[in-house]
Amino acid sequence: MSTEPPRHPLPPFSKATAIEKVRLAEDGWNGRNPAKVALAYTPDSKWRNRAEFPQGRAEIEEFLTRKWNKELDYRLIKELWAYTDNRIAVRYAYEYHDDSGNWFRAYGNENWEFDENGFMAYRHASINEKPITEAERKFRWPLGRRPDDHPGLSDLDL
């Protein structure tokens, strides 16, 4: 049994609490702090992310550190797709550039499963990306949390 305080909102999810959980995840990832983000997952969390399969918070933190060291000016939007008792499905898009200034937009879907204390135990991600020009970017808010009035994925026809 974990001694960590619960991570609200807790399952079972309603539509409102699922949307809240998705936004909290988006905010965390847009903060790009690997150690802080890793705390949203169970100590033995299992991931599938492209060809990598991190397990546990230490590997998740290492993965995110590598990711955000190469995906510069990273900005992400997540949107609820579906939910049930302790599972949430999201779709998302993010934009970043590499160290040569080449811009990309990645699109994906994630399936999440939470434990009873609100920590994510499983994360299965499917991702594809395409090169974009700087002029094609749609995510132009200052680094960090997406402003509340910024359009979401559906609003942007993504």
Side-chain angles (χ1 to χ4, degrees):
M1 181 55 101
S2 175
T3 59
E4 296 175 291
R7 194 162 184 98
H8 293 275
L10 304 176
F13 297 113
S14 65
K15 184 175 183 182
T17 60
I19 289 170
E20 180 182 358
K21 198 74 157 176
V22 171
R23 183 59 193 245
L24 289 168
E26 175 188 315
D27 291 349
W29 281 59
N30 277 329
R32 295 171 322 193
N33 179 330
K36 185 175 180 182
V37 171
L39 293 175
Y41 301 91
T42 60
D44 60 349
S45 185
K46 295 178 181 168
W47 281 24
R48 179 183 53 76
N49 194 96
R50 298 182 195 237
E52 292 192 59
F53 298 83
Q55 286 192 247
R57 288 180 177 165
E59 288 184 20
I60 290 168
E61 185 175 342
E62 290 169 11
F63 170 87
L64 293 172
T65 299
R66 283 193 319 276
K67 174 183 180 64
W68 291 322
N69 281 336
K70 72 174 194 165
E71 295 179 359
L72 307 174
D73 289 321
Y74 177 96
R75 290 170 178 84
L76 164 75
I77 298 177
K78 291 183 181 280
E79 184 174 279
L80 177 67
W81 184 255
Y83 69 95
T84 188
D85 298 326
N86 69 331
R87 293 181 173 169
I88 295 176
V90 299
R91 63 188 203 93
Y92 62 90
Y94 63 89
E95 294 178 351
Y96 71 93
H97 67 84
D98 63 19
D99 60 2
S100 297
N102 301 303
W103 282 93
F104 300 88
R105 183 177 304 122
Y107 303 90
N109 299 290
E110 293 177 336
N111 297 313
W112 301 341
E113 184 176 310
F114 295 87
D115 73 5
E116 66 279 359
N117 291 313
F119 292 90
M120 195 181 301
Y122 294 94
R123 175 184 172 268
H124 302 286
S126 297
I127 307 162
N128 58 66
E129 65 189 15
K130 70 173 199 163
I132 60 172
T133 65
E134 200 284 334
E136 291 174 303
R137 290 179 52 216
K138 295 180 183 257
F139 304 171
R140 296 183 176 271
W141 65 86
L143 287 176
R145 186 178 193 277
R146 176 174 55 102
D148 290 334
D149 62 351
H150 190 281
L153 294 179
S154 292
D155 300 320
L156 294 167
D157 289 327
L158 296 175

